[in-house]
Every structure is written in structure tokens, then in C-alpha cells.
Amino acid sequence: GNDVAVSDADGDGADGSSSRAGGEARQRCESAVELLGSVLPWPEHAHAMPLSLCWAVWAVVEKPPAAGLPPALLHKSKDGRIWLIKLWGHVISLLGGWLAHPPQREKLNQLLQLPTGAFVAKEGELPAYEARALMFVMWRRLVAAWVPLMDDPANAPGDAEKRLGLLVMPLRDLWKKEEAGGLMRPPPDSARLGAAHLEAARGWCELTRSLARHALCPGGELVWQVAVRSMAAHWHPELRCTFLACVDSFFRQHPKLTGLWLCRAQGRRTLSELLSASLSSEAQTRFRPAPLA
């Protein structure tokens, strides 16, 4: 509930007291979030939380601050406050499994407002790459909370596919936008942008490893469709290496499933696109012709 209060207190008063108060409130928020991170369970253990505790946590999350302002974690914002993104990660670690079930769909949609803004966060008119990178790190907590539900006997037909579609949505949106802008040409702010993209790639690797056999089943094709051209042909060398090492390790860990995957036309096409994009990218990077005089 201190979210908007911190923001409003940032303006300079006559003696600077408002600015100091805003800084102190921000420090208290950051300290509280760090403390939560040290004591909360990891997502893979949060599924054991009793329903009463889930409801208690949600009651705190949805409680509006003073003056009837909207709850911080349920509000879409593009200003990229780091402590707020971390807090979202802690909450989704606790409630992710609970929110995956249809009766809580409205609550899930509310809680997804913050990452919707954070994935495109800005600092003034410029992209807030640190906040965007952190949001991809926190998104992996939702992955960790949801992957165990892929084999839930209580799943209705299509539930697993819908959850997978939501998990890959930030990656799909990011790479689709980057493909349109050209993945082979580093932009002026390539260092900070590259760091954000690298966290997105690590998120894809975590998702693929967590899905295991599901990533190589027909329903898992979406995981590969959002990644192959975008990461294999990316201008960031470390990102390409991270992606290819992940794919290599994944195939080695699941040789039988990989063989079955390659028996399907879609699997062979995906692997062909991956190799083609990767080789083309390396050739253009290493053997770029010198500019004409």
C-alpha cells in the first residue's frame, strides 16, 4: 500500500523534506521486500500452502492504501520500480499454484497487470532495461509454480495448453517485436538491452528444462516457435551461446523424446530453422565485410 505514497512523496518541498521522506519510505519498502525474500518458500514448495493462508495473503495484496488509491500489485505501471517487481515475484511464488485454477482466474488477471507494464517499463522516455530484466527473472517464479500443474489429474481439457500459452506470452511478445526491428544489428544501448534480452533467454531455458517431456510433445511446439529464429540469430553472442547450450543439454537429457520429436515434420522443421539461423548469424558476425572506402 505504500507504492503510490512513495511516488507522491518524491516531489521536492521547500526544505527538501518531501524528497527525504520519499527516499526513506522507498528504503523501508526495499528492506521489507528483501526480508520477505529471505523467509518465503520457493515456488516449488508453495503448493503445500493451506487455502486459508492463500486467502490471507490475497487479502493483503488487494487491500488499497489510504485515500482509496488502487492496490500497488494489482495496478499496471510502466515506471519500473525494482522493489515492487521483487514484491510481485514473492507474491507469485506463494500464490501462483492457487491462482492457476479457474475459480481464481479474475485474481490472476489482476495480478498480471503489473508484469504487463514492467515488461515495457520506462525511465522517462527511455526503456528501463534493469526493470525489464528483473521482470523476466521474477516471471520464472510463475513458471516454477505452474509447471508441476501440467500433469495435474484435475486439469480440464486444454488447461495445460492455456497455462503454457500464458507462460510464453512475454517471450513471444518480446521476440516478435525484436524480429521486426532486426536482431542482427546491435542498437546504441546494446549493453543494457542485451542484459535484458539475456534474462529473457534464461527464462526460456528455465521454462524448457522445467517442462521436460512436455516441451517435446505436440502441445509444446509453442515453446520452440517463440524462440528459434529470435535467439539463434540474436546479435548478442552470450545470448546465442546460452540458448544453444541449453538446447544441446536438453536434447542430450531426453534422447528418446528428441528422436520422437524429430520423427514429426514440425520437429525437423524447427531444428532446421534453428541450425540455419545460428549458422547464418555466426557467419555474418565473424565474416562481416569491411566497409568500402
Side-chain angles (χ1 to χ4, degrees), residues 23 25-35 82-83 86:
R26 198 158 39 241
Q27 285 184 344
R28 288 197 299 273
C29 291
E30 292 169 355
S31 298
V33 170
E34 293 301 325
L35 177 61
I82 296 298
W83 68 267
K86 288 182 179 179

Side-chain angles (χ1 to χ4, degrees), residues 62 95 100 104 136-137 149 162 242:
E62 70 173 353
L95 300 183
Q104 314 306 336
F136 277 109
V137 174
L149 299 173
K162 290 177 183 177
T242 297

Side-chain angles (χ1 to χ4, degrees), residues 140-154:
R140 298 208 286 269
R141 298 192 175 198
L142 180 60
V143 171
W146 276 18
V147 163
L149 299 173
M150 295 293 287
D151 294 314
D152 190 342

